[in-house]
């Protein structure tokens, strides 16, 4: 390679190299301008002093460390290069590397999540994430002590990682498109899904650990240890990500659709896909942009990039153009304030929704996110709608109300990590204060879900009406707070509402790795069955467990009339390997 070729490679790759004692850094080309990301986004470059970068990181963490229900939102963006800093990740904080590959952004020091409660308890360590960074952890092991709604994507850990803090409790979690050179130590993590990730080894298990498209599966078979292994990921598009090239041009990379996928996308250096120039996005700012204004931009053909903040919406965001990308940074939060949906889509190909928290308002929204109108019929097999890191909350930050959180009417939709949470703690929490009937209702055909976390809804957590559905990993706590059995009864002779319900008319459905838990706060509350499905040849469920975590009530059966009851003392955690029972 001659000098000219080497220079071109450096500029194209967009990260710092040292040649003959000189540092070659990304250069802003004439006409290339930095987008207006607003005050809640910090952009770091390797030419800044470590002390200045650290000061900004520490200031954000000082606010977000214990800010479970606060309004602040932050994104920390790292341009390609090497950084010697310590990055603790607090609530509503997203750490993003801006390279085409994670290896273009290197943090030598620490990037970590610490337990948010005392005694190393990480069971409320929610709403934070890291993407697109290579980490060389001090001491060789990175700590990622997390629970729900914490994406860990396109990361390279140049060492090992633990998913807990000093063996304290944690209730996670999610990994996808990650490379860990050493060991992943799950420890006491209650449950976990790893999709299309690679590592040297995996150790640890608890109740429900699911591996999909992982080339090096951990040793052992369900139920001891409780490993559910699926060799290939049938259909997936990785989450879009913000990137910058060697001359300072920003774009959003939309990964290509993959079928029967194994392992990471970026081993060759770049994730296959298409890039959309930042000029083709409307950049929205909380407190400035209205739903009406953003809808005008979408109608003009723009994609939508939400900056960190809380957006109060008087009407839904309406996405109707095929292949539109709607991407949020820093847990951008959409809150409907007039009893309408937060976001609705048309029944068209290739829409991508990613990186958003939908927070129910005080006036009841019949649905928070509707994918396709009711009665959608078009096939989207070759270019499905996909949802990535879309999270829902009813209550917690204040009273809220919803009928259905996520309603999927379009066919072939891919759900790639969601936590649909009716709050069990925080402000505005009570059986009548934060009502929410259903977490997920699927009416479309051939819908696929990876990493489906749905909790505390007052009726069916999941109601699946469409044919050909597939779920890879399910975690659910049924509601804590039914005041009486009469208020928690789905039909005559049936106590409670199943956490996962496949409608009686459905002929084809399959699910892998399901964990369902009860924590009733009132005495004598029972759930007849955690999973309720029709019994016919096209219905198959693999690897299910139920656990009673509290001192009251319990679950009588795992799936239909199979599995038996949970018990507290001594603890009995019923398991069903296959249904129909073989």
């Amino acid at each position: 390679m001659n000098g000219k070729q080497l220079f071109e490679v450096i500029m194209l790759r967009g990260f710092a190299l040292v040649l003959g004692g000189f540092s070659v850094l990304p250069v802003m080309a004439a006409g290339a301008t930095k987008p207006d990301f607003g005050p809640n986004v910090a952009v770091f470059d390797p030419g800044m002093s470590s002390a200045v970068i650290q000061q900004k990181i520490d200031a954000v963490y000082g606010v977000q460390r214990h800010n479970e229900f606060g309004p602040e939102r932050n994104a920390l963006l790292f341009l390609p290069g090497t950084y010697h800093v310590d990055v603790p990740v607090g609530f509503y904080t997203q750490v993003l590397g801006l390279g085409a590959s994670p290896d273009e952004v290197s943090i030598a020091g620490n990037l970590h999540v610490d337990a948010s409660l005392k005694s190393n308890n990480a069971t409320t360590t929610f709403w934070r994430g890291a993407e697109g960074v290579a980490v060389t952890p001090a001491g060789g092991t990175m700590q990622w002590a997390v629970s729900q709604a914490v994406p860990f994507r396109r990361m390279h850990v140049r060492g090992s990682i633990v998913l807990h803090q000093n063996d304290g409790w944690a209730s996670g979690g999610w990994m996808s498109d990650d490379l860990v050179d050493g060991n992943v130590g799950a420890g006491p993590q209650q449950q976990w899904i790893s999709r299309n990730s690679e590592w040297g080894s995996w150790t640890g298990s608890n109740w429900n650990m699911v591996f999909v498209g992982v080339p090096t599966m951990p040793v052992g078979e369900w139920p001891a240890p409780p490993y559910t292994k699926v060799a290939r990921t049938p259909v997936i598009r990785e989450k879009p990500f913000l990137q910058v090239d060697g001359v300072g041009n920003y774009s959003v990379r939309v990964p290509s659709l993959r079928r029967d996928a194994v392992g990471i996308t970026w081993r060759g250096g770049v994730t296959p896909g298409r890039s959309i120039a930042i000029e083709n996005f409307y950049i929205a700012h909380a407190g400035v942009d209205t739903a009406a204004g953003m809808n005008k931009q979408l109608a003009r053909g723009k994609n939508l990039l939400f900056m960190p903040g809380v957006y109060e919406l008087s009407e839904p965001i309406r996405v109707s153009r095929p292949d539109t990308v709607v991407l949020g940074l820093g847990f951008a939060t959409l809150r409907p304030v007039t009893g309408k949906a937060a976001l609705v889509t048309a029944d068209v190909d290739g829409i991508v929704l990613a990186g958003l928290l939908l927070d129910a308002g005080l006036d009841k929204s019949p649905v928070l996110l509707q994918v396709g109108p009711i009665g959608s019929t078009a096939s989207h097999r070759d270019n499905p709608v996909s949802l990535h890191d879309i999270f829902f909350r009813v209550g917690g930050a204040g009273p809220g109300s919803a009928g259905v959180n996520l309603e999927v009417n379009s066919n072939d939709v891919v759900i790639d990590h969601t936590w649909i949470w009716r709050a069990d703690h925080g402000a505005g929490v009570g059986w009548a204060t934060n009502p929410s009937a259903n977490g997920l209702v699927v009416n479309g055909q051939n819908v696929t879900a990876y990493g489906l976390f749905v909790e505390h809804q007052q009726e069916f957590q999941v109601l699946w009406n469409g044919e050909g559905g597939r779920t890879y990993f399910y975690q659910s706590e049924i509601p804590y707070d039914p005041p009486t059995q009469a208020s928690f009864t789905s039909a005559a002779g049936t106590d409670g509402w199943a956490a996962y319900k496949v409608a009686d008319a459905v002929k084809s459905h399959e699910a892998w790795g399901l964990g369902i838990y009860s924590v009733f706060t009132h005495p004598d509350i029972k759930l007849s069955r955690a999973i309720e499905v029709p019994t016919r040849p096209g219905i198959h469920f693999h690897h299910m467990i139920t656990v009673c975590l509290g001192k009251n009530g319990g679950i009588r059966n795992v799936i239909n009339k199979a599995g038996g009851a949970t018990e507290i003392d001594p603890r009995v955690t019923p398991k069903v390997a296959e249904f129909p029972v073989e």
Side-chain angles (χ1 to χ4, degrees), residues 304-443:
L304 193 54
L305 185 61
F306 285 98
M307 293 300 100
V310 179
Y311 296 77
E312 295 195 341
L313 306 176
S314 59
E315 63 181 81
I317 302 296
R318 301 183 185 278
V319 185
S320 58
R321 179 176 57 85
D323 298 314
T324 300
V325 175
V326 177
L327 176 62
L329 301 185
F331 291 82
T333 301
L334 309 184
R335 179 177 295 153
V337 295
T338 60
K340 299 176 183 177
L343 195 155
V344 299
T345 79
D347 186 30
V348 297
D349 279 355
I351 291 172
V352 180
L353 310 177
L356 297 170
L357 172 59
L358 280 65
D359 198 4
L362 183 60
D363 292 340
K364 181 179 179 179
S365 295
V367 61
L368 290 175
L369 171 55
Q370 184 185 63
V371 181
I374 293 174
S376 296
T377 59
S379 172
H380 306 290
R381 183 187 183 280
D382 295 332
N383 189 13
V385 174
S386 59
L387 282 59
H388 313 266
D389 301 338
I390 301 293
F391 307 124
F392 300 80
R393 183 173 66 193
V394 181
S401 180
V404 176
N405 286 245
L406 172 58
E407 180 181 279
V408 177
N409 297 311
S410 290
N411 298 327
D412 306 296
V413 172
V414 176
I415 301 170
D416 188 44
H417 190 207
T418 187
W419 185 37
I420 306 174
W421 189 61
R422 175 180 168 263
D424 60 88
H425 65 279
V429 172
W431 191 251
T433 309
N434 64 326
S436 181
N438 305 113
L440 170 65
V441 175
V442 177
N443 299 315

Side-chain angles (χ1 to χ4, degrees), residues 503-523:
D504 295 344
V506 172
K507 297 178 177 61
S508 174
H509 190 93
E510 194 162 10
W512 293 260
L514 300 92
I516 297 160
Y517 317 116
S518 69
V519 193
F520 292 123
T521 54
H522 294 277

